Amino acid sequence: MQDQYGSDQLNAIYSSGYLVNPDICFIFMNPTGRNIAASKTWKGYRFPWIGTKNIWKLFDQLNLIDHDLFLEIQARRGSEWDEVFVSQVYENILKHRYYITNLAKCTQLDARPLPDDVYKEYLTLLYQEIDLIQPKKIVTFGNQISSIFLDQPISVSQCRRKKFLKQIGQHIYPVYPVYYPVGNGMRNIDKAIIDLQFILDSGE
């Protein structure tokens, strides 16, 4: 679907992280050209958020990445990420037992939201993905992704820290909508951190 919905100058980005019953699965929107792994010349893993900085600030605040590695991420330009460093970052994600994915895998040049119907075309693939890894908890970022995934209107500001239940296959998963913490959502990153810490600390 990259050919249909993404840029013909970029490759799709795949998901990655802890693959067997991760403690939490983070569902973002869709990748953009800021991820250097989307480049046609990139030969390594095509994982989310490669070559970017802001999302790692969130994970650092949540103690989901070793702080020394976070500092190295912040010190590097996007072009300075290479296959070895990507492996180091994602091995650290494995250590912290979480999984990162996007609802849509098609990469665009910019960060404009996709229409609902495009995201909905990716739902079956996402359900298969979740059924394979079976996370203990799921976080959906932003109103649009949360509404599509839960199949009901969601306003994150009105349901902070509220748990929804979603059945996929034979399993029922707790799902928590959270403010989108990057791009235009950077203004809400502090609220996202507070809510995510609550979700991480929750025994469910």
Side-chain angles (χ1 to χ4, degrees):
M1 287 191 277
Q2 176 68 28
D3 291 342
Q4 187 172 358
Y5 299 120
S7 168
D8 59 6
Q9 303 173 44
L10 300 170
N11 284 323
I13 295 295
Y14 306 128
S15 312
S16 191
Y18 199 82
L19 298 175
V20 182
N21 200 212
D23 292 337
I24 196 160
C25 169
F26 296 110
I27 302 176
F28 293 92
M29 300 174 70
N30 56 281
T32 73
R34 291 191 62 198
N35 186 326
I36 63 168
S39 168
K40 294 288 188 179
T41 61
W42 180 262
K43 302 300 182 185
Y45 296 119
R46 285 188 267 147
F47 294 158
W49 303 111
I50 292 176
T52 68
K53 294 182 185 292
N54 286 338
I55 196 60
W56 306 106
K57 296 176 184 177
L58 176 80
F59 292 148
D60 178 63
Q61 289 292 310
L62 296 169
N63 296 313
L64 291 177
I65 190 167
D66 291 353
H67 189 63
D68 57 347
L69 184 58
F70 165 73
L71 293 177
E72 187 170 354
I73 288 172
Q74 296 304 301
R76 288 190 180 223
R77 298 187 183 92
S79 60
E80 293 173 335
W81 286 57
D82 55 24
E83 294 178 38
V84 173
F85 188 60
V86 170
S87 294
Q88 291 174 354
V89 171
Y90 272 85
E91 284 170 10
N92 204 257
I93 289 172
L94 296 181
K95 172 183 172 181
H96 290 87
R97 298 177 60 93
Y98 60 100
Y99 185 85
I100 306 173
T101 190
N102 291 291
L103 174 48
K105 311 302 193 262
C106 55
T107 311
Q108 299 186 106
L109 289 171
D110 55 25
R112 76 185 69 180
L114 292 167
D116 285 2
D117 58 347
V118 174
Y119 285 118
K120 288 176 181 178
E121 285 200 44
Y122 279 92
L123 275 172
T124 299
L125 177 61
L126 181 63
Y127 294 157
Q128 293 172 351
E129 195 175 342
I130 290 170
D131 201 36
L132 285 172
I133 65 170
Q134 296 182 13
K136 296 174 185 174
K137 303 173 186 177
I138 295 172
V139 166
T140 53
F141 286 108
N143 294 337
Q144 186 181 22
I145 297 305
S146 299
S147 298
I148 292 170
F149 185 75
L150 290 169
D151 195 25
Q152 60 181 288
I154 297 291
S155 172
V156 170
S157 64
Q158 299 301 312
C159 61
R160 293 180 64 184
R161 308 181 194 179
K162 180 179 178 181
K163 179 179 70 175
F164 296 80
L165 298 179
K166 175 77 173 182
Q167 182 162 357
I168 299 173
Q170 301 301 310
H171 299 273
I172 297 176
Y173 299 94
V175 180
Y176 298 87
V178 172
Y179 285 106
Y180 202 83
V182 292
N184 292 333
M186 279 295 292
R187 65 185 181 275
N188 292 317
I189 192 170
D190 291 341
K191 295 175 185 176
I193 289 169
I194 291 169
D195 292 350
L196 286 166
Q197 193 62 67
F198 171 84
I199 294 163
L200 288 166
D201 292 343
S202 171
E204 297 184 17

